[in-house]
Amino acid sequence: MVGVITTAPLKKFLDAVSYVRGENEMMMENLSSSGDIAIKYAEYVNNCRTQGIEPEVVFRLVYDGVHCTGGYCVINGELCCFWSIKGGRGLWLLDNAIADGAYHLNCFDGYLPTFYKKRGFKEYQREHNWTPSGPDVIYMKKEKLQCV
């Protein structure tokens, strides 16, 4: 059974991120903090307002019954804070994020670049981790989804 994907207000999304990071050690290391996402969102929205343009922001959460089991946000085409705690659901969730306008991202080297390549993302930049044994940060992008 596939979960139900819903649009979430910013606060509910940030609360879900904080909860997942607090409950899951792997997510704590790999998932952006709610503070980082809130700052990115605020800077982007403020920049849009000063230019008189409408911000392009989407917050989505996935529910299995009452339990939040995944989510992502897309801020100006950047896939941020993508996660799923249900195995086998990642590509379905990524397809939804792409449909919501995601076409660039960054992630740690390891499993994730291979995962994102399955949907056409390509590495265009790499930064060495400031922690000596930590994985590199990989920047990836794909062609923007165009409506015909």
Side-chain angles (χ1 to χ4, degrees):
M1 176 178 126
V2 174
V4 176
I5 192 165
T6 65
T7 301
L10 175 62
K11 178 156 180 17
K12 189 170 189 173
F13 182 83
L14 296 178
D15 287 348
V17 168
S18 293
Y19 178 80
V20 170
R21 288 183 88 235
E23 292 289 310
N24 187 308
E25 188 173 323
M26 183 187 81
M27 294 293 183
M28 180 64 156
E29 295 175 9
N30 294 311
L31 188 61
S32 298
S33 73
S34 58
D36 291 342
I37 294 300
I39 289 168
K40 183 181 291 240
Y41 170 78
E43 288 173 345
Y44 172 65
V45 169
N46 186 51
N47 187 41
C48 286
R49 286 186 180 146
T50 61
Q51 296 180 39
I53 59 175
E54 189 67 29
E56 296 178 19
V57 181
V58 176
F59 298 102
R60 301 274 194 221
L61 294 173
V62 177
Y63 287 92
D64 286 86
V66 296
H67 301 289
C68 180
T69 58
Y72 63 85
C73 64
V74 180
I75 299 175
N76 193 26
E78 180 181 359
L79 178 60
C80 307
C81 223
F82 180 86
W83 89 94
S84 177
I85 57 175
K86 283 272 192 178
R89 206 176 268 175
L91 289 176
W92 169 77
L93 198 56
L94 183 56
D95 289 341
N96 279 277
I98 292 167
D100 279 333
Y103 70 93
H104 63 101
L105 58 91
N106 64 68
C107 61
F108 287 121
D109 198 4
Y111 166 75
L112 289 174
T114 302
F115 170 77
Y116 291 124
K117 284 179 185 176
K118 292 177 183 176
R119 290 301 188 256
F121 286 89
K122 295 178 182 162
E123 180 180 337
Y124 69 91
Q125 183 179 340
R126 176 180 292 257
E127 288 181 7
H128 294 295
N129 195 313
W130 59 275
T131 305
S133 62
D136 290 347
V137 177
I138 308 297
Y139 294 84
M140 303 181 82
K141 63 184 172 182
K142 66 180 274 123
E143 286 189 36
K144 276 180 142 179
L145 186 62
Q146 300 292 325
C147 294
V148 180

